[in-house]
Amino acid sequence: MSAKPFKVLITHPEVPQSGIDLLKEHCELTQVLSLPPSRAELLEKIKGVDAVLWGGHSPLNAEALDAAGPQLKCISTMSAGIDYVDVAEMKRRKIPLGHSPTVLDAAVADLAVGLLIAAGRRFHEARRKIDSDNWESYHLNWLLGQDVRDSVVGFFGFGGIGQAIAKRLSGFDIDQVLYTTRRRIDQETEKELNAKKVDFDELLAKSDFVVIASPLTPATQGIFNATAFNKMKRTAVLVNIARGKIVNQNDLYDALKSNRIFAAGIDVMDPEPLPPTDKLLTLDNVVVLPHIGSATTRTRSDMSTIAAHNVLRGLAGEPMLSPAY
């Protein structure tokens, strides 16, 4: 048996087997085994490899690329968002980069709908009532929430995930979809989803539910601040399944605490992990999840498979299945 031509590093011990099995056929594998993954171990094991399957969100930057060496041919992440990657540095070195979007759209969209309903219908607050022995069923107007039916749902960012959420919500008989993006989407999809492109201020003013589904960029960082919250309906529910830094979290706390907006459901925050003492967690009207949007067995396995295909194509000098640029 001849030696396998390529050496590939897998940077996390929990990368699903589906991707590892694909790579194993053609490549000699090394894997970071520490958990949480140790940066020192990564920088040691990356030396001399031809490619990397980057599992997890540790910084992919010049330090890691320098440690790898000039023979490095390609890298694929196992995520949709690549805000932890120094993309400019990767491009400067002409190293192809893959990622794994689209495959997680369904799982994240399902979770977003769950958060929208959980926040709008006060799940967290309601559970707390039981825990504190305050089940006040003698009230007729107890724990009244917001209807999804006939509502206007506004999307800040309307790519694959946003559209997958809108598609699911159409089954709830919503009234209309509004969206704010840089470019208009194709008109057929607009028609199918009953969606209309509007500017940010109109999105905030008209939406009963506002869903953040955009990438984190210098333009989107902190855009949901006090100014934005003050333009929203008092009955509005905010959902964030994108990136925590798109929201100014202090301003979100103030808006929820003062009932300037009705509620929020978030799967992302700043920082992550959020300390258990964070003031946001003291509020009744926010549902907080620990960034589990893509956390289903099938989705993670698919992400690993796509990342592996990206790596194999990069090594073969072919265009990646899912290139990041």
Side-chain angles (χ1 to χ4, degrees):
M1 185 173 153
S2 60
K4 291 175 180 173
F6 296 117
K7 281 182 70 173
V8 177
L9 173 66
I10 293 161
T11 69
H12 197 290
E14 293 176 345
V15 167
Q17 199 61 37
S18 54
I20 293 172
D21 288 344
L22 272 172
L23 292 171
K24 215 164 43 183
E25 291 175 44
H26 311 280
C27 311
E28 183 191 327
L29 303 185
T30 42
Q31 192 161 11
V32 172
L33 301 173
S34 51
L35 198 64
S38 139
R39 185 74 174 177
E41 185 186 352
L42 187 154
L43 293 174
E44 181 57 39
K45 288 188 170 172
I46 204 171
K47 285 178 188 164
V49 302
D50 299 295
V52 184
L53 194 163
W54 199 273
H57 292 118
S58 69
L60 172 42
N61 54 15
E63 175 191 45
L65 299 173
D66 287 342
Q71 78 300 324
L72 181 70
K73 291 182 181 61
C74 64
I75 296 179
S76 181
T77 70
M78 214 186 86
S79 65
I82 51 171
D83 46 298
Y84 53 90
V85 181
D86 186 339
V87 172
E89 185 65 26
M90 291 282 292
K91 284 182 173 172
R92 193 176 68 75
R93 299 181 190 222
K94 299 189 167 57
I95 300 171
L97 176 68
H99 64 151
S100 63
T102 62
V103 62
L104 48 71
D105 290 0
V108 176
D110 291 351
L111 187 106
V113 173
L115 276 173
L116 183 146
I117 293 170
R121 295 296 300 274
R122 302 165 73 167
F123 282 19
H124 177 61
E125 180 185 358
R127 173 59 198 256
R128 280 184 164 183
K129 296 284 191 194
I130 300 172
D131 290 341
S132 61
D133 198 20
N134 284 303
W135 189 313
E136 299 164 9
S137 51
Y138 52 84
H139 282 300
L140 294 183
N141 58 354
W142 192 48
L143 287 171
L144 300 185
Q146 304 300 331
D147 268 302
V148 183
R149 180 185 51 163
D150 295 331
S151 66
V152 174
V153 183
F155 290 86
F156 182 75
F158 203 48
I161 291 176
Q163 290 173 32
I165 298 167
K167 194 173 163 187
R168 282 156 176 73
L169 289 173
S170 68
F172 288 84
D173 300 324
I174 59 174
D175 180 47
Q176 196 187 15
V177 168
L178 303 176
Y179 70 94
T180 298
T181 51
R182 282 170 309 183
R183 288 181 300 278
R184 188 175 171 185
I185 65 166
D186 70 274
Q187 280 163 288
E188 205 169 305
T189 309
E190 272 190 348
K191 210 166 138 184
E192 185 195 329
L193 298 172
N194 189 21
K196 180 183 168 206
K197 186 177 187 302
V198 296
D199 66 28
F200 188 46
D201 283 354
E202 188 175 344
L203 184 88
L204 295 170
K206 289 189 173 166
S207 299
D208 299 299
F209 297 90
V210 175
V211 180
I212 303 174
S214 75
L216 174 65
T217 66
T220 64
Q221 181 161 349
I223 193 166
F224 279 86
N225 55 17
T227 308
F229 297 133
N230 286 334
K231 291 174 180 169
M232 286 170 66
K233 294 183 176 186
R234 289 190 174 271
T235 51
V237 174
L238 180 74
V239 173
N240 189 5
I241 44 79
R243 285 290 183 262
K245 281 183 163 44
I246 298 170
V247 173
N248 179 317
Q249 212 160 274
N250 274 324
D251 289 358
L252 175 63
Y253 172 84
D254 291 340
L256 290 167
K257 177 93 176 147
S258 65
N259 296 117
R260 181 58 195 77
I261 65 172
F262 186 77
I266 61 174
D267 186 42
V268 289
M269 55 230 73
D270 181 32
E272 290 177 20
L274 191 68
T277 52
D278 193 277
K279 63 185 179 182
L280 201 61
L281 300 174
T282 65
L283 297 172
D284 276 336
N285 56 344
V286 61
V287 177
V288 184
L289 297 178
H291 204 152
I292 55 169
S294 64
T296 70
T297 307
R298 175 180 169 181
T299 300
R300 286 292 159 82
S301 178
D302 290 349
M303 288 162 80
S304 177
T305 300
I306 285 180
H309 279 299
N310 283 338
V311 166
L312 290 171
R313 290 197 182 184
L315 287 170
E318 297 168 4
M320 287 186 174
L321 190 67
S322 186
Y325 45 72

